[in-house]
Amino acid sequence: MPPSTADRRDVLVRALLAGPGAAVATLLAVMGLSAALPPGPAGIDPITIPLVALPFIWAALFFHACLDPAPRRAALASLALCAVCAALVALRHGGAPAAAVP
Amino acid sequence: MTPLVLAAASAAALAALGVADPKRRRAAGLAPARPRHRSAALGALACCGLGIAASAGPAGAVTWAAAVAAGGWALAQGLALVPAPSWRSIATAGRFRSRPVPVALPVVALICALLAVEGRRGAPPDDAAADRVAALALLDRLERGAPARRAAAPCLAALASARDGGGLRDLLSDRAAAVVLPADGGAGTDLQRCILSAGGEGAATARGGDTATTTIDADTASRVHALIAGTLEDADALAALAPSGGTGAGLVCRRLAAAAGPDVAGFVAALRRDRAYPKAGDLLEGLPALEALIDARRARSPCPA
Amino acid sequence: MIRLPAREHRRLVAIHGWTGVGLGLLLYVVVATGTVAVLAREIGAWSSGTLATRAPLSRALDAAVGRAIVDAPPGLRDTVDLSAAADDRLAVSLRGPAGPDARGIDLDVAPDGAVLRRRDGPAADIEDADPPGALAAFLVDLHVRLYVPAPWGYAVTGVAGLALLAAALSGFAIHRHLLKDIFTLRRGARPGLTARDRHNMAGAWALPFAVVLAVTGSVFSWSASAGFPALAWMSYGGDREALFAALAGPPPPADPTPAPRADLDAVMADAAARAGAAPTYVRLARPGRADARITVYAAPPAGALTGHTLVYDGASGTLLEDRRAFGRVASVGGTLYGLMAPLHFGDFAGPASKVAWAALGLCSCVATLGGIRLWLARRDDRASALLDRCTAIVGLGLPFATAGAAAGFFAGLPGGGGPGWTEAGFLAAAAAATVAGIALPRRRVGPALSAATGIGLALLPALRWAAGEPGWGAALAAGRLAVPSGDVAVLAIAAAFLWTAAPAAMRDRRPFRPGRAVP
């Protein structure tokens, strides 16, 4: 049975989501996590924890994009994550001056 | 030693796991191993892992896990070389010859191990380097601790000539002590200087006949103890280093010759008379080597390289 | 291992296959070079033929470092880094203030304190130009960024890391009998089944290791290429130096008043005693000033994964900080980030962990190449034939090119050597392997490259000796096993390659049998 147009669109959406989509969302998530985390006793948690979390965030986004039965839902989840993280980043940049981070 | 035993036990457990593997046994036409055999092997392996983690720390545990994985892979390849009658084609002749990788792997692994051991030999934490590092650290501590040792020297000298009472033993137990010394002589002066070094309070001297009894309260005793303890530890470390004859002994000989002499001599007498210090036996065994080093230096003989 | 609905299972199989096929060769190159890089120190000891036995940072350093500082112009005394170089020499790097135009001086100091080599100029030009250590440095650099300029090289290896993670996790999910099949290798079965067993077995045993390596490797690669720039932009206005300063702890208030330097030997001795292990790297910041600092990085003590970092006042020599993890005091982030390096390099427990890491690296290589071959065996089109040829060229061309790099290194030694020779050797051998791989009939590519690699490796000990490096007699007399055992290891690997090539060559000489498929 040849793949239908809808199937092909699904594959394309998934490929975009799992490839460039996951990459962009991971970068945003890392930055958002950095903005949201408290500095911790050494003042380095906002740098180190997001970097260590990076492969895990990417893997979660990648496999979710590939496996969620509804690609649209995966896209919405990614978009929501991006929006929250972008808001966190914007708050950080709009609020305190950059050098205030220890 | 324990990690070695546990590593051997892990290897045995892994081999048992491979031999009891149900799929392998079924293919070989053997009765399948009972589940409890496999469970026992798995349990033994897990126990070895826990044992390694307890005895060799997290680094040992991670190394063990990686070694089990690598060993398991090699073992699985090796087991596949053992003829299994029920596979469809069993032309085992020449199979060993045509599969060089499983043969070469252990050889390469062994050589890598040799290489790595060799790399380790040149690495800092071992052998001569460690000996030297320990010597440098000790010399540094001794140089910084010189004023404290000078303060402790009269205490040791005084105790060396104490006739009655526990002497060194009392002082090292932080209890109030009574030290009996000849009424006339240098020992009493030494004791006064010692008490002064320890703060100058908490002591009283009563004269009777040809002796003087100095009572020291617990506080002063513990301060004197602190003065002596540092010196004892330094001497202990020095004496432990001296017999090695290696680079550490050479360094001690070159850098400490004169400085260590009087300090060491001061309490050798006390120790010989009163083996109160827990490591006195070891220290007394090591001291002749240290004294020989110092004597060699005084006589301008060359130090060990 | 995981019961999944048929559709998800199919998708995961596709992910596993396509990551393996699309990025498998890149993954193989990164993993294989990493397997070699684990033993870089041992390879360095073998290739540089060092006969001295004392590690440079355990010697008395103060006089030599003092001379180096006094000899340098005041503008180049901002930081002085001390590390062990090949051939038991001390590498002293003096640098001016950081920045794109930073200048510096690099010195190689012999065990007797003599300066053997001095490089002077822009920092970017003089770094990584250590002739005796060139082979080991080349192998590490090849693994870290595949010789692609930064930051793109890091991005490429970062992609390989994520591909490994995707392949390992999807492989874990799709293999229904992962634990049941770990000892299943049906040799007598049809070739496809044997190949599948071999791939599954190697993949299953290497799985936890692959996940650890993928995560730690991705963290390193993506930190360098994207993470640090993005986080610096987030919190430090794009100033990456400020971010690194935050990681290292803020510097003390500037105080340019001249002050005597603390005795470096006393500091080193104290650091070694406190850390319970030998120092591996030392940084003197602003020596000769009142705000000087000495930072000593030590190897992990026995049983631990991470070592101490000790910060001393550079004027008085008093200890200021004793760090056990990343950051000035213990924190979750610091501890996690501090674990990345030991888990990736496998160098925390000496030879045992290194050998285990190298063996599992080999296991991962077998799983990767076997996986690609398995995927190709089920396909019969032009693209697959091309990929099949590429797999043969890369799979065996990489060991051949590595042998070429070593040959180039030894060939360059009589004339002073250096990284250029090693790189040239690698590139020439890689080019030769590519040309041979394209020109030869497909069935001859594997045996030919195997044989060439075997012959190349077998010639290395002779080349090493001809280049004036110590022979076995001198090495054994000096009590150094690195040289002979390195030679023996190279010869053993050469024999394995020749052995792989030989039966195929012998088969080819047999009379042609009709009906035998010739690809």
Side-chain angles (χ1 to χ4, degrees):
Chain A
M1 196 174 65
S4 68
T5 319
D7 279 350
R8 268 208 294 266
R9 201 185 54 213
D10 260 23
V11 170
L12 184 69
V13 170
R14 277 186 206 283
L16 285 175
L17 264 183
V24 171
T26 304
L27 190 64
L28 268 173
V30 163
M31 290 163 74
L33 193 57
S34 172
L37 278 171
I44 58 169
D45 285 1
I47 304 169
T48 49
I49 291 181
L51 291 177
V52 174
L54 185 147
F56 298 100
I57 297 173
W58 176 84
L61 288 166
F62 174 80
F63 281 105
H64 186 226
C66 293
L67 295 180
D68 195 312
R72 198 172 294 180
R73 190 167 56 192
L76 277 178
S78 281
L79 273 178
L81 178 73
C82 287
V84 171
C85 293
L88 283 169
V89 173
L91 270 179
R92 156 57 61 88
H93 267 276
V101 175
Chain B
M1 196 60 201
T2 318
L4 267 183
V5 172
L6 287 172
S10 305
L14 196 62
L17 206 58
V19 171
D21 185 62
K23 213 161 170 178
R24 204 187 108 74
R25 289 181 69 87
R26 212 170 36 243
L30 302 167
R34 297 201 176 153
R36 67 161 185 260
H37 290 159
R38 266 192 111 203
S39 309
L42 264 177
L45 199 58
C47 288
C48 291
L50 287 175
I52 289 266
S55 64
V62 177
T63 309
W64 173 85
V68 164
W73 178 55
L75 174 71
Q77 305 227 44
L79 283 176
L81 286 173
V82 181
S86 69
W87 295 131
R88 260 180 281 167
S89 121
I90 312 269
T92 46
R95 201 152 291 289
F96 195 74
R97 217 167 63 85
S98 66
R99 290 282 180 271
V101 174
V103 183
L105 272 181
V107 177
V108 173
L110 184 73
I111 290 161
C112 287
L114 270 178
L115 257 179
V117 167
E118 170 56 19
R120 184 82 171 160
R121 271 160 55 98
D126 277 334
D127 304 325
D131 193 21
R132 189 190 154 82
V133 165
L136 276 169
L138 177 64
L139 287 171
D140 180 47
R141 205 171 77 202
L142 286 170
E143 275 162 21
R144 289 188 205 183
R149 269 200 319 283
R150 272 197 296 278
C155 300
L156 289 161
L159 291 165
S161 48
R163 276 191 234 155
D164 293 319
L168 197 59
R169 196 185 306 275
D170 276 354
L171 282 177
L172 288 175
S173 63
D174 292 345
R175 284 197 300 265
V179 182
V180 183
L181 291 170
D184 49 347
T189 321
D190 282 337
L191 190 59
Q192 292 311 316
R193 279 171 52 212
C194 164
I195 290 161
L196 276 175
S197 328
E201 288 176 9
T205 303
R207 290 174 178 276
D210 58 347
T211 59
T213 305
T214 306
T215 49
I216 302 169
D217 68 14
D219 276 355
T220 308
S222 70
R223 280 199 297 275
V224 172
H225 176 194
L227 278 177
I228 297 171
T231 312
L232 282 173
E233 277 167 25
D234 291 346
D236 203 40
L238 269 175
L241 210 56
S244 76
T247 53
L251 264 172
V252 167
C253 174
R254 279 194 295 278
R255 291 257 302 262
L256 199 76
D263 286 342
V264 174
F267 56 77
V268 164
L271 278 171
R272 292 226 159 101
R273 197 178 56 81
D274 185 351
R275 294 185 168 224
Y277 180 54
K279 294 189 204 159
D282 297 342
L283 184 46
L284 287 174
E285 268 176 37
L287 278 173
L290 183 62
E291 285 170 332
L293 277 183
I294 293 164
D295 287 348
R297 192 60 179 167
R298 282 196 188 120
R300 301 197 176 275
S301 317
C303 291
Chain C
M1 283 300 282
I2 299 174
R3 289 251 165 256
L4 286 167
R7 205 157 63 160
E8 275 69 31
H9 187 264
R10 253 199 328 273
R11 277 201 206 117
L12 279 172
V13 172
I15 292 172
H16 191 71
W18 284 106
T19 20
V21 169
L23 297 165
L25 286 181
L26 172 68
L27 191 55
Y28 165 75
V29 172
V30 175
V31 174
T33 49
T35 304
V36 179
V38 166
L39 298 169
R41 186 195 168 93
E42 287 70 27
I43 292 172
W46 165 72
S47 65
S48 62
T50 171
L51 293 183
T53 52
R54 277 186 194 165
L57 288 180
S58 297
R59 281 198 288 266
L61 302 171
D62 195 65
V65 173
R67 262 199 310 279
I69 294 173
V70 171
D71 289 350
L76 297 184
R77 296 176 191 168
D78 213 46
T79 57
V80 182
D81 289 352
L82 310 175
S83 57
D87 222 359
D88 221 37
R89 291 161 302 127
L90 174 73
V92 182
S93 293
L94 297 114
R95 291 288 179 273
D101 306 324
R103 298 183 64 82
I105 298 172
D106 278 8
L107 303 171
D108 288 348
V109 181
D112 61 0
V115 174
L116 296 178
R117 195 182 150 92
R118 181 188 157 98
R119 294 176 296 274
D120 191 338
D125 293 352
I126 58 174
E127 273 158 16
D128 302 328
D130 170 34
L135 181 59
F138 173 81
L139 294 171
V140 172
D141 215 25
L142 190 63
H143 169 65
V144 170
R145 55 185 182 89
L146 299 178
Y147 261 73
V148 178
W152 302 109
Y154 296 115
V156 172
T157 50
V159 166
L162 293 180
L164 179 59
L165 187 62
L169 292 179
S170 56
F172 173 74
I174 57 179
H175 197 322
R176 291 190 199 278
H177 307 290
L178 194 74
L179 285 179
K180 268 190 200 156
D181 282 354
I182 48 172
F183 285 104
T184 303
L185 177 55
R186 286 160 286 193
R187 280 184 180 278
R190 64 194 159 80
L193 193 62
T194 309
R196 201 179 71 192
D197 282 350
R198 200 184 292 281
H199 169 69
N200 287 349
M201 208 175 73
W205 283 109
L207 185 79
F209 173 80
V211 171
V212 168
L213 271 264
V215 167
T216 51
S218 310
V219 168
F220 283 135
S221 288
W222 288 115
S223 295
S225 58
F228 286 138
L231 295 183
W233 175 80
M234 270 284 298
S235 304
Y236 302 94
D239 183 356
R240 232 182 292 183
E241 293 300 328
L243 179 137
F244 293 137
L247 281 176
D255 182 359
T257 319
R261 281 191 314 109
D263 179 3
L264 187 58
D265 292 337
V267 166
M268 295 293 280
D270 185 72
R274 283 177 200 276
T280 55
Y281 194 88
V282 183
R283 164 162 287 192
L284 284 71
R286 303 167 299 278
R289 289 174 35 155
D291 58 353
R293 289 286 180 273
I294 301 174
T295 310
V296 182
Y297 301 85
L305 286 168
T306 52
H308 290 250
T309 300
L310 299 129
V311 183
Y312 291 85
D313 186 309
S316 68
T318 50
L319 179 75
L320 301 175
E321 287 170 26
D322 180 356
R323 306 177 183 173
R324 282 313 304 271
F326 231 71
R328 297 180 63 202
V329 289
S331 66
V332 178
T335 307
L336 283 176
Y337 200 80
L339 282 175
M340 295 292 113
L343 287 180
H344 193 77
F345 304 138
D347 57 355
F348 46 82
S353 58
K354 279 189 173 191
V355 169
W357 250 237
L360 284 175
L362 191 63
C363 183
S364 308
C365 288
V366 169
T368 311
L369 277 189
I372 301 175
R373 292 235 162 97
L374 208 56
W375 192 89
L376 290 170
R378 291 199 295 266
R379 278 156 186 85
D380 189 21
D381 52 55
R382 281 177 63 89
S384 308
L386 185 67
L387 182 58
D388 181 43
R389 197 174 273 269
C390 287
T391 306
I393 294 173
V394 175
L396 287 161
L398 183 65
F400 180 62
T402 307
F409 169 79
F410 290 127
L413 272 187
W421 284 88
T422 312
E423 287 160 19
F426 184 87
L427 289 177
T434 312
V435 169
I438 294 168
L440 288 171
R442 168 64 188 92
R443 72 196 156 90
R444 287 191 191 274
V445 174
L449 286 178
S450 280
T453 309
I455 293 167
L457 286 171
L459 288 176
L460 285 182
L463 258 176
R464 192 186 65 74
W465 183 73
E469 298 248 315
W472 286 25
L476 289 174
R480 295 294 285 175
L481 281 173
V483 170
S485 52
D487 281 349
V488 171
V490 167
L491 289 174
I493 300 168
F497 272 104
L498 288 172
W499 205 341
T500 320
M506 278 188 275
R507 269 202 307 275
D508 285 343
R509 275 203 298 276
R510 285 181 204 152
F512 177 69
R513 278 177 296 169
R516 187 162 166 260
V518 178

